[in-house]
Amino acid sequence: MRGQEHYDAVQHIDVRPVTNSAADEHETAAMHERTPTKMVPGQATTVTPHKVASRKSPLRRNIFRKRKCNAVQWKRNQRKELRNNGKLYTSSRGKKVEAKTLGKVNCITCRFKCSSKISEEERQELFTTYWQLGDYDKQRSFIWQNVTQGNKKSTKRKTFSNVFQFTVNGIKHRVCKHFFLKTLSIGKKTIDYAIQKKYLGTFVGQDRRGSKASANKIPQPVVKQIHDHIKSFPTMESHYSRSTSKISYLGAGLNIKIMFKLFKEKHYPSEKCPISESFYRKAFCENFNMSFHKPKKDQCSVCNRYDKRKRDGTLNEDMELEYSRHQQMNMWAREEKQKDKDKARNDKSVHVSTFDLEAVLPTPCSLVGELYYKRKISCNNLSYYSLADQKGTCYKG
């Protein structure tokens, strides 16, 4: 017994010497109200109450073998999104990168008079527009649309001259390079790459960050070996829901660990296997609609829908009424079955039986490794059961 049930079942018996003092009797009653005791010969033993939990345990999550991966929640993708939006993020090496901010600039003495043409509020709007694009290609297109490259007339080493401009209220204003970089909070290399990848008025570059192939990537021939090995196991369809379910079932004695062990014995018996069990498991779950569980008996759609709505808290009056009628029909069917059963027992001229087709049984069934790859015979068992004399008959095929 746990908790309060234990206290309710304990008999409070005081085995101390009896006194006639009213104060002592009052003190004894108060003590029994505060602390429960259990009967021990010769003494009164105090039972320590159970502590109340300070917090509730979190709800248990249902983890499925073939759960879908959510790329949006990957750390590298979240980090990339924050970087493209100019927000604070932590690099893959753990370095903290500050958020982009509007740089301070004073171009009063500039020959283009940038500060007098574009106010701080308009600069902030340009800065926000650029970083709210949140896409590498769109941001580079924004740059080359506002930067024009032309030939330089002087005889210095510099061959090209860039013309920077911003469009504010439909009017283009030429600005200096320093004003342009500080307003967008970018570097010179960003502009050089955007102009370099400009072709026929279109940005043809692409974000190549993270596009390099992994150094330990599994070769494609090995992946094909895994797929062929999984396909080599015999499968069967669901017995009850074969018309609505596309899933195939493997033998009940199999699991991914056994399949991976058989894979190593078949393809890499004397050398190190180039893949791990986790990679084999990933290939099985992502590329095949298979399961090891035996097909369960089909469930009533009304009861199944009612239970699901009840768990989700989305029940309505129509659903409650339908479920109530369904349960009444269930009770009526059971009563009629019992009447027929009693009638068959009393009247020998009446015969009542039930029949059902058992789930498909793969034959032969063995733990020998070679038999896992053999095409097995599907055994069907049609069974009849007499309710009067309780005798069963099976017809196998």
Side-chain angles (χ1 to χ4, degrees):
M1 292 178 290
R2 304 186 304 274
Q4 189 62 34
E5 294 86 354
H6 174 71
Y7 300 145
D8 294 341
V10 172
Q11 295 180 1
H12 306 295
I13 300 178
D14 191 4
V15 296
R16 296 183 304 171
V18 179
T19 60
N20 296 326
S21 174
D24 292 340
E25 294 179 358
H26 178 73
E27 181 181 358
T28 302
M31 181 188 67
H32 284 294
E33 290 179 358
R34 292 193 305 269
T35 306
T37 59
K38 56 184 179 181
M39 185 174 61
V40 178
Q43 61 179 354
T45 305
T46 303
V47 179
T48 305
H50 290 278
K51 294 182 179 180
V52 180
S54 59
R55 67 179 184 87
K56 293 183 178 180
S57 301
L59 295 177
R60 183 178 179 181
R61 295 188 305 167
N62 293 328
I63 301 178
F64 303 96
R65 181 191 293 117
K66 296 187 179 182
R67 60 186 183 275
K68 301 291 184 179
C69 61
N70 190 359
V72 178
Q73 296 182 354
W74 292 356
K75 289 184 179 180
R76 64 178 183 181
N77 290 342
Q78 292 179 351
R79 183 167 55 245
K80 183 177 180 180
E81 183 179 359
L82 293 174
R83 181 177 63 243
N84 289 342
N85 286 275
K87 298 180 180 180
L88 174 67
Y89 71 95
T90 303
S91 65
S92 58
R93 297 184 178 181
K95 183 179 178 181
K96 194 174 183 179
V97 181
E98 299 294 335
K100 297 292 184 180
T101 56
L102 182 65
K104 296 182 180 180
V105 62
N106 186 5
C107 286
I108 298 178
T109 59
C110 173
R111 66 190 182 98
F112 296 114
K113 306 296 181 181
C114 307
S115 299
S116 60
K117 295 178 181 178
I118 302 176
S119 63
E120 288 296 318
E121 291 77 9
E122 293 170 340
R123 286 186 65 220
Q124 182 64 45
E125 186 177 354
L126 290 169
F127 171 84
T128 304
T129 301
Y130 176 80
W131 287 107
Q132 279 185 349
L133 293 174
D135 184 79
Y136 182 87
D137 296 338
K138 292 180 180 179
Q139 290 172 348
R140 299 307 177 272
S141 299
F142 181 89
I143 291 174
W144 65 254
Q145 286 177 356
N146 293 279
V147 179
T148 306
Q149 190 179 61
N151 297 327
K152 188 173 179 62
K153 298 180 180 180
S154 62
T155 58
K156 295 182 181 181
R157 288 189 306 171
K158 191 174 181 181
T159 308
F160 298 100
S161 175
N162 295 329
V163 178
F164 303 91
Q165 60 186 11
F166 280 128
T167 302
V168 180
N169 297 327
I171 303 175
K172 293 183 178 181
H173 300 283
R174 184 175 179 180
V175 296
C176 64
K177 176 181 178 181
H178 182 67
F179 187 89
F180 189 88
L181 296 178
K182 289 295 182 180
T183 301
L184 300 183
S185 188
I186 57 177
K188 179 179 178 299
K189 290 185 178 181
T190 304
I191 297 178
D192 295 340
Y193 181 79
I195 296 176
Q196 180 184 356
K197 296 299 180 180
K198 180 180 178 180
Y199 180 73
L200 297 179
T202 306
F203 177 71
V204 295
Q206 59 180 350
D207 188 1
R208 300 183 61 85
R209 294 173 293 183
S211 60
K212 184 178 179 181
S214 177
N216 58 348
K217 185 177 180 180
I218 304 299
Q220 192 61 31
V222 179
V223 177
K224 188 176 184 303
Q225 275 185 349
I226 298 173
H227 291 182
D228 293 341
H229 182 259
I230 296 175
K231 293 177 183 178
S232 65
F233 291 93
T235 60
M236 60 181 178
E237 297 179 348
S238 172
H239 173 69
Y240 289 99
S241 55
R242 65 184 64 181
S243 61
T244 58
S245 176
K246 301 298 182 182
I247 190 171
S248 300
Y249 291 91
L250 296 167
L254 272 178
N255 55 45
I256 295 181
K257 188 173 183 178
I258 296 177
M259 293 175 67
F260 177 67
K261 181 180 178 181
L262 295 172
F263 173 80
K264 291 192 298 182
E265 293 176 355
K266 183 177 182 179
H267 295 284
Y268 303 95
S270 59
E271 55 182 323
K272 184 178 179 181
C273 184
I275 65 168
S276 61
E277 182 181 341
S278 61
F279 188 85
Y280 190 95
R281 184 182 301 274
K282 180 180 179 182
F284 177 86
C285 296
E286 292 184 355
N287 300 281
F288 296 92
N289 189 17
M290 296 182 181
S291 178
F292 300 103
H293 299 287
K294 293 182 179 180
K296 297 181 181 179
K297 185 177 180 181
D298 53 340
Q299 297 180 353
C300 173
S301 59
V302 178
C303 297
N304 191 13
R305 184 168 62 252
Y306 177 83
D307 292 339
K308 185 177 183 303
R309 291 286 187 90
K310 189 175 182 179
R311 290 193 302 268
D312 299 341
T314 57
L315 275 177
N316 51 32
E317 295 182 359
D318 295 337
M319 182 66 68
E320 290 280 2
L321 183 60
E322 181 185 7
Y323 181 74
S324 178
R325 292 175 179 174
H326 178 70
Q327 291 297 326
Q328 292 177 2
M329 292 295 295
N330 181 24
M331 295 298 296
W332 175 81
R334 289 182 178 276
E335 292 174 359
E336 292 296 323
K337 178 183 176 182
Q338 186 63 36
K339 291 179 182 179
D340 294 340
K341 183 177 179 180
D342 296 337
K343 186 177 181 180
R345 287 179 177 177
N346 299 326
D347 188 357
K348 299 301 181 180
S349 62
V350 178
H351 181 77
V352 179
S353 63
T354 59
F355 66 94
D356 187 20
L357 182 64
E358 190 179 0
V360 180
L361 303 176
T363 307
C365 181
S366 175
L367 298 180
V368 180
E370 288 77 5
L371 287 180
Y372 285 120
Y373 306 105
K374 302 297 182 181
R375 294 297 167 184
K376 302 179 181 180
I377 301 175
S378 296
C379 180
N380 298 296
N381 182 22
L382 180 61
S383 59
Y384 286 86
Y385 183 76
S386 176
L387 298 179
D389 52 9
Q390 299 181 357
K391 292 183 179 180
T393 306
C394 297
Y395 298 91
K396 298 182 180 179

